[in-house]
Amino acid sequence: MKYLLIVCALAALALAEEPIALHYHESVGIPEAARIKQAELATDFDGSRIVGGSQTGAGTHPHLIGLVITLTTGQTSVCGSTMLTNTRSVTAAHCWFDGRNQARQFTLVFGSGTLFTGGTRVTSSSVQMHASWNTNNLNNDVAIISFNWVGYTNVIQRAILPSGTLLNNNFAGTWAHAAGYGRNSDSSGISNNQAKHHVWLQVITNAVCAQTYGTSSVIASTLCTSGAGGVGTCGGDSGGPLVITSGGQRVLIGVTSFGSARGCQIGLPAAFARVTSFASWINARI
């Protein structure tokens, strides 16, 4: 009887976990790409959105790279990335392969508010996913993109990786900037003033985050931010940056990974790949 009670308790706990959004391209990226492209054609378009944030110009987050993705099916999807050097950027592994859908090519969009036109645009199919990328629970959701040399300008800049004492910082309580080309609400449609958006998010502990998503998805190499007030990353922001400022430099601490399958505005945490956990892996490839 005692064993049965324990099993029942564990089962109830598992059922209480918030489902995470899987199979990104078919559930988010493909429809989001179509929405953004239609908006560009229909209006004087200047980018896209992030939940609960504010509009920002192309130069405000010059490390943000838009990704227009061509899948092997010929369909188009979208993600974000972060410039690390003149020839390397980091994104989410699920932007390249989400468990069902495989990308064939990325078009990297530098220094632009618009995703399908403008800016410096470079194509690449040279992508290295983390060897332990798990498409079922989204653990180790990082990948490196290699591309032809792109020079720095006032609207194209890199972010640096954490180093020194920052490598031992879990950043809990820290406020950080997320930026992206994704939706600005769960129900957002086409707007005539769409633009790249950013938002301040507060990092929470993994213990608090695991109360929502469970310990299978929230592991040591996961970083989470609070969704209180209905703010956070949303569909289309995947792979994009979460940065802090340290020593006058933009420091990348998270790569946008997942949120609740029920939406972005319900007040639940957003999850990122914790860059301090992957710093050695990334450094070896840039």
Side-chain angles (χ1 to χ4, degrees):
M1 177 63 75
K2 188 174 185 179
Y3 174 76
L4 179 60
L5 289 173
I6 292 172
V7 170
C8 290
L10 290 174
L13 181 61
L15 289 173
E17 291 177 2
E18 184 72 17
I20 63 175
L22 299 174
H23 311 305
Y24 169 81
H25 290 298
E26 63 195 63
S27 61
V28 175
I30 293 170
E32 182 67 3
R35 184 191 69 83
I36 294 173
K37 190 168 185 178
Q38 184 180 352
E40 288 195 25
L41 293 172
T43 67
D44 182 14
F45 180 86
D46 187 31
S48 198
R49 297 301 178 107
I50 201 160
V51 169
S54 58
Q55 184 172 326
T56 183
T60 306
H61 296 280
H63 52 282
L64 172 64
I65 303 170
L67 296 181
V68 178
I69 305 167
T70 303
L71 301 174
T72 54
T73 60
Q75 294 172 290
T76 300
S77 187
V78 292
C79 268
S81 184
T82 303
M83 190 173 193
L84 298 178
T85 73
N86 297 104
T87 60
R88 299 288 189 276
S89 72
V90 62
T91 189
H94 75 255
C95 292
W96 187 248
F97 176 64
D98 69 2
R100 287 184 184 170
N101 304 277
Q102 175 66 61
R104 183 172 68 228
Q105 178 179 275
F106 286 157
T107 297
L108 294 86
V109 183
F110 300 82
S112 178
T114 53
L115 202 52
F116 285 89
T117 58
T120 299
R121 311 173 77 82
V122 176
T123 60
S124 175
S125 298
S126 180
V127 179
Q128 184 174 357
M129 297 183 296
H130 195 281
S132 297
W133 160 230
N134 187 320
T135 59
N136 295 315
N137 56 22
L138 306 191
N139 292 171
N140 306 301
D141 192 9
V142 291
I144 296 294
I145 309 170
S146 300
F147 51 88
N148 291 335
W149 193 91
V150 174
Y152 298 132
T153 70
N154 62 324
V155 295
I156 302 174
Q157 292 289 327
R158 68 172 185 149
I160 66 171
L161 298 174
S163 61
T165 58
L166 288 179
L167 289 171
N168 299 315
N169 194 330
N170 71 0
F171 301 107
T174 299
W175 288 88
H177 253 131
Y181 290 91
R183 286 184 173 273
N184 72 329
S185 74
D186 289 326
S187 60
S188 63
I190 297 167
S191 168
N192 63 1
N193 65 342
Q194 294 196 7
K196 178 171 64 176
H197 270 57
H198 65 163
V199 66
W200 281 103
L201 301 173
Q202 188 171 34
V203 179
I204 59 176
T205 66
N206 280 21
V208 170
C209 192
Q211 292 174 10
T212 298
Y213 299 118
T215 55
S216 173
S217 294
V218 181
I219 59 175
S221 59
T222 307
L223 180 147
C224 295
T225 57
S226 172
V231 298
T233 53
C234 200
D237 294 325
S238 281
L242 182 71
V243 302
I244 62 170
T245 300
S246 180
Q249 294 183 293
R250 292 175 292 270
V251 181
L252 182 70
I253 65 169
V255 176
T256 305
S257 182
F258 68 85
S260 169
R262 293 192 292 133
C264 313
Q265 289 186 290
I266 57 177
L268 295 179
F272 303 76
R274 184 181 293 274
V275 174
T276 54
S277 297
F278 300 102
S280 296
W281 184 85
I282 295 171
N283 273 314
R285 288 157 179 80
I286 61 174

